[in-house]
Amino acid sequence: MKVLAKDPVYHPIHLWNVLHTCERFTLTCLFLYKRHISPLLPRACRFIPNCSEYSIQSIQQFGLERGLILTVWRLLRCQPFGGYGYDPPQWPPPSWFRRGYER
């Protein structure tokens, strides 16, 4: 009788490959946006680095899940009542009204 292997969906290496593939796909989309779409739009970012660079840096530093959380939080703060200035990716996410870099 043949012994059936465990379901590959739950194997940790397989899950890591899926996350790695999703991370690479997300970074590729961000690079394409930064290279082809962003130059067509006027510069309006309140922060340094701009939002697309911030997204790329946060995903590379903290992984896909935390990087996306940081990116969404940054996009929510990019409005007239949010912060401005130098804002590098950091975990945990900064406060809503933060102005500039604080450690």
Side-chain angles (χ1 to χ4, degrees):
M1 189 153 97
K2 221 177 190 183
V3 177
L4 297 175
K6 290 184 178 181
D7 189 4
V9 173
Y10 298 109
H11 195 271
I13 294 175
H14 179 70
L15 287 175
W16 184 84
N17 286 337
V18 169
L19 286 175
H20 185 67
T21 303
C22 292
E23 183 176 316
R24 286 178 45 202
F25 175 74
T26 304
L27 288 173
T28 302
C29 290
L30 286 167
F31 282 122
L32 289 173
Y33 168 80
K34 186 176 174 184
R35 182 166 185 172
H36 297 291
I37 298 173
S38 184
L40 302 175
L41 303 173
R43 293 182 182 255
C45 195
R46 302 169 53 87
F47 295 102
I48 299 171
N50 63 26
C51 292
S52 59
E53 291 172 0
Y54 181 90
S55 300
I56 292 168
Q57 290 175 8
S58 64
I59 291 172
Q60 288 174 339
Q61 272 186 305
F62 299 108
L64 185 63
E65 298 86 8
R66 286 185 175 182
L68 289 177
I69 290 169
L70 288 171
T71 299
V72 169
W73 184 244
R74 169 74 174 267
L75 291 173
L76 289 173
R77 290 184 300 129
C78 193
Q79 41 89 11
F81 300 110
Y84 58 87
Y86 181 62
D87 182 35
Q90 61 183 358
W91 191 261
S95 67
W96 184 267
F97 295 106
R98 191 183 89 172
R99 294 184 179 170
Y101 180 64
E102 298 170 1
R103 276 246 169 194

